[in-house]
Structures are given as structure tokens and as C-alpha cells.
């Protein structure tokens, strides 16, 4: 899809299921990319838009070498540690730091978002668009809730 | 999202997905020693009893399942959830007849069909260094399809 025809907002109920994104509203998000199946949210939060990050099955997804290939919050934290992130309890905007959030549903990681310079968050929705959004706009449905924040020095 | 919820007990046990999708012996990679379980190598392996490559009923079923899978996993980042989707499982269930249909759609619009192809054939031509690289994985499977008679780029609609 050419960027000139890209919609500004997702239509909940048409572009994305309402049950999957119960808090998403026109007022709390904006589409920031074309649709792209080449990368997912886990890669996007790691600033790698060239590969699909996921720990398997087999060799279907990219996963940092040496990190257990399992869908656990511990493995995802380890994956982001390989690029300099450490866990933090502070999700607020801090000058000089990148921050990411890892979402969990039923105990399994589902999604990751990265904080933008102005305090908004950026998410890649599966193979769909990137959006900028308020922190809780994509919580409560498909992706569950934020379980861990991580940060690294810029 | 997980499609295991229909069969779980309702308890909040984290699903770690280590089996059976991740069983290391499931798939034969070309660099390994010959597998003990036969793998699908070529369309000619099936002779006259082989997959009917233009079976319209299978094509229609495939098209419906593909549309459903794409629509319902569009916002999913988990490959495990994508591959456990019921429509994806049914496509795997079509068996070798699905291989040319998957390769055809892969050529038109790259997507994560690799696990289905691995599951049907028991083989993967993807190099370890290309894991997660959609274009490289697509190219590896299309080359495999051409070499083994499952995919003809010249006959594929909008193929390459």
C-alpha cells in the first residue's frame, strides 16, 4: 500500500477486531507506517525492521543467539538484554534513555512497544501497521497487559 | 491469544510452547545426516497417485482458509499463534496437494507459510542465518519448489 493512501487511524471493528483492542480509539493512536509482514512488534521494539523476531518454532523466526528459544517473559527479557536493555520499574519518559514495554497474556509474551521521544509509544501490530499510541491503547485484549519495562542508555 | 485455550483446563498455567512445535527432530534440515523418516522431495515422487495440482476443490478450500488465516492473524506477532490457527492447521492437513498452492501464494505475497511447508514435507531449505528474514526464506522455498517440480514460476499468476 502506498503511503499516500495510508489511513491515519485504524477503524476498530473493520481494520482490527474490537475485542482484540478494546481501548483503541481514534483519539489515542495514529498509523505511522505502511503494512509490512517483514517484521513484528518484537523486532520493531528492538529497532530492527528487517526481520521477524520470535523464538521459533524451529528456525521460523530470528532470535538472538544464546537466548533460550521459548515463549517466556524470561527469554524475552534476555533477548532485549542482548541489545543493551535492563529491566526497570520506571515507565516515565527519561531523557537519555530508550524504553520498551513487554506485554503478556496468560503468562506468555505477546507484544512489545517502544517509547517515543515525546512520551507516546510505538507498536507494530503483527504484520499490520506501525502505530504511535498512548501507553494503554493496545492493552486489555489480544496483547494482554504490560508485564515488564526495560530501558537502555542512548 | 492462544488456540490451546479450547483444550486447556482453565488454569493460569503459562504455556511455554516447547512441544510439539519445537521438537527439534520434527524437521530435517538439508545439512543434517539423512533422516530416518522419509521427507517429501519431489512432485514426481507421487506418480499418478500424487497430488492433483489443479484440483479446483482443493484450491477453493485453500483460498478460503488462506483468507481466514490472513485476516485473523493480521495483528498477531506470535509465530506460534499464527501456526496454531485452525485455518493454518487445516492447510497443513491438505498435505502435499497444498504445496504448489502455498508456493504460488508465497510468490505473490510473501507470508509465514514456512512452518506449513516444513510440516508437510519434513524438510526445510532455509539457512539458519536467514531465520526470520521473510524474503530470504521465501526465496529458499521457491527455489526448492522449482527444483522439485512443485512450483513453476512461468505458470504462476503474477509469480516471479
Amino acid at each position: 500500500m502506498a503511503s499516500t493512501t495510508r489511513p491515519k487511524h485504524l477503524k476498530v471493528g473493520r481494520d482490527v477486531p474490537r475485542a482484540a483492542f478494546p481501548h483503541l480509539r481514534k483519539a489515542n493512536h495514529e498509523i505511522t507506517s505502511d503494512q509490512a509482514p517483514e517484521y513484528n512488534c518484537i523486532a520493531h521494539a528492538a529497532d530492527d525492521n528487517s526481520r521477524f523476531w520470535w523464538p521459533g518454532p524451529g528456525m521460523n523466526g530470528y532470535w538472538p543467539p544464546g537466548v533460550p528459544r521459548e515463549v517466556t517473559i524470561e527469554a524475552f527479557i534476555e533477548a532485549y538484554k542482548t541489545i543493551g536493555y535492563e529491566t526497570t520499574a520506571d515507565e516515565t519518559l527519561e531523557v537519555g534513555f530508550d524504553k520498551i514495554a513487554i506485554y503478556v497474556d496468560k503468562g506468555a509474551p505477546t507484544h512489545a512497544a517502544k517509547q517515543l521521544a515525546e512520551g507516546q509509544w510505538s507498536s507494530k501490530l503483527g504484520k499490520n501497521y506501525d502505530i504511535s499510541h498512548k501507553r494503554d491503547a493496545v492493552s486489555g485484549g489480544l496483547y494482554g497487559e504490560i508485564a515488564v519495562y526495560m530501558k537502555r542508555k542512548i | 491469544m492462544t488456540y490451546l485455550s479450547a483444550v486447556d483446563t482453565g488454569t493460569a498455567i503459562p504455556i511455554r510452547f516447547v512441544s510439539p512445535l519445537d521438537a527439534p527432530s520434527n524437521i530435517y534440515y538439508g545439512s543434517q545426516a539423512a533422516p530416518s523418516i522419509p521427507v517429501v522431495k519431489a512432485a514426481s515422487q507421487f506418480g499418478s497417485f500424487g497430488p492433483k495440482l489443479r484440483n479446483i476443490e482443493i484450491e477453493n478450500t485453500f483460498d478460503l482458509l488462506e483468507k481466514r488465516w490472513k485476516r485473523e492473524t493480521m495483528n498477531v506477532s506470535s509465530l506460534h499463534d499464527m501456526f496454531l490457527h485452525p485455518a493454518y492447521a487445516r492447510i497443513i492437513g491438505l498435505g502435499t496437494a497444498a504445496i504448489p498452492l502455498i508456493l504460488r501464494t508465497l510468490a505473490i505475497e510473501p507470508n509465514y507459510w514456512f512452518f506449513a511447508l516444513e510440516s508437510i514435507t519434513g524438510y526445510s531449505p532455509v539457512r539458519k542465518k536467514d531465520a526470520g528474514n521473510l524474503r530470504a526464506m521465501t526465496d529458499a522455498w521457491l527455489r526448492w519448489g522449482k527444483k522439485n517440480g512443485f512450483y513453476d514460476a512461468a505458470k504462476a499468476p503474477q509469480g516471479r
Side-chain angles (χ1 to χ4, degrees):
Chain A
M1 184 183 294
S3 58
T4 51
T5 60
R6 191 172 73 210
K8 197 170 179 186
H9 305 282
L10 291 162
K11 283 208 168 152
V12 180
R14 188 196 68 181
D15 299 329
V16 293
R18 189 173 298 281
F21 297 97
H23 302 306
L24 200 63
R25 303 283 184 274
K26 190 176 176 182
N28 64 18
H29 81 280
E30 191 170 315
I31 293 172
T32 57
S33 79
D34 293 334
Q35 292 173 316
E38 290 83 6
Y39 62 96
N40 63 349
C41 60
I42 310 301
H44 179 65
D47 293 321
D48 180 0
N49 287 2
S50 69
R51 292 181 289 198
F52 206 96
W53 283 41
W54 198 258
M59 292 191 296
N60 281 279
Y62 168 77
W63 203 236
V67 179
R69 280 184 166 264
E70 56 181 40
V71 188
T72 61
I73 190 67
E74 293 84 4
F76 278 60
I77 289 170
E78 286 302 310
Y80 286 117
K81 279 185 176 177
T82 67
I83 52 172
Y85 280 97
E86 292 295 335
T87 55
T88 178
D90 179 9
E91 83 279 17
T92 59
L93 186 65
E94 273 186 87
V95 176
F97 287 93
D98 287 329
K99 290 194 179 179
I100 59 172
I102 305 174
Y103 295 65
V104 166
D105 184 41
K106 294 177 187 153
T110 54
H111 181 69
K114 62 180 175 184
Q115 195 175 45
L116 299 172
E118 63 274 24
Q120 292 269 86
W121 293 79
S122 177
S123 281
K124 173 73 157 59
L125 305 181
K127 295 172 280 187
N128 212 336
Y129 301 104
D130 296 0
I131 62 169
S132 62
H133 59 87
K134 293 194 173 171
R135 191 193 62 177
D136 297 325
V138 298
S139 300
L142 180 65
Y143 300 149
E145 306 293 341
I146 296 172
V148 174
Y149 291 101
M150 301 184 78
K151 71 175 185 180
R152 71 177 175 191
K153 269 193 171 173
I154 297 174
Chain B
M1 176 170 56
T2 169
Y3 293 94
L4 294 182
S5 58
V7 293
D8 74 17
T9 59
T11 54
I13 299 168
I15 297 167
R16 298 175 72 90
F17 291 115
V18 290
S19 178
L21 288 186
D22 285 317
S25 58
N26 272 359
I27 302 301
Y28 167 62
Y29 295 98
S31 59
Q32 296 172 336
S36 55
I37 302 171
V39 301
V40 172
K41 291 291 284 183
S44 59
Q45 202 174 318
F46 298 94
S48 57
F49 298 101
K52 296 180 175 66
L53 301 186
R54 301 296 299 173
N55 184 315
I56 195 69
E57 196 176 345
I58 292 176
E59 285 197 30
N60 288 343
T61 301
F62 177 86
D63 289 346
L64 290 170
L65 292 169
E66 180 199 9
K67 280 193 184 107
R68 184 182 161 200
W69 177 72
K70 281 167 62 178
R71 184 178 67 246
E72 294 182 5
T73 63
M74 189 66 183
N75 302 295
V76 173
S77 282
S78 162
L79 289 175
H80 288 85
D81 283 342
M82 278 188 220
F83 301 156
L84 286 168
H85 189 281
Y88 197 88
R90 282 197 60 195
I91 285 173
I92 293 172
L94 294 174
T96 51
I99 297 174
L101 304 175
I102 294 173
L103 294 174
R104 183 186 67 184
T105 197
L106 198 54
I108 296 166
E109 184 185 356
N111 211 325
Y112 295 88
W113 292 109
F114 317 116
F115 182 76
L117 290 165
E118 289 176 2
S119 299
I120 295 168
T121 65
Y123 178 80
S124 175
V126 176
R127 296 172 298 184
K128 278 188 179 176
K129 73 180 185 71
D130 291 330
N133 183 325
L134 182 61
R135 180 61 60 185
M137 296 171 86
T138 297
D139 288 344
W141 273 107
L142 291 180
R143 276 195 305 274
W144 176 89
K146 287 174 193 169
K147 182 180 170 190
N148 293 293
F150 284 107
Y151 172 68
D152 184 347
K155 292 180 184 169
Q158 300 171 49
R160 51 186 186 174

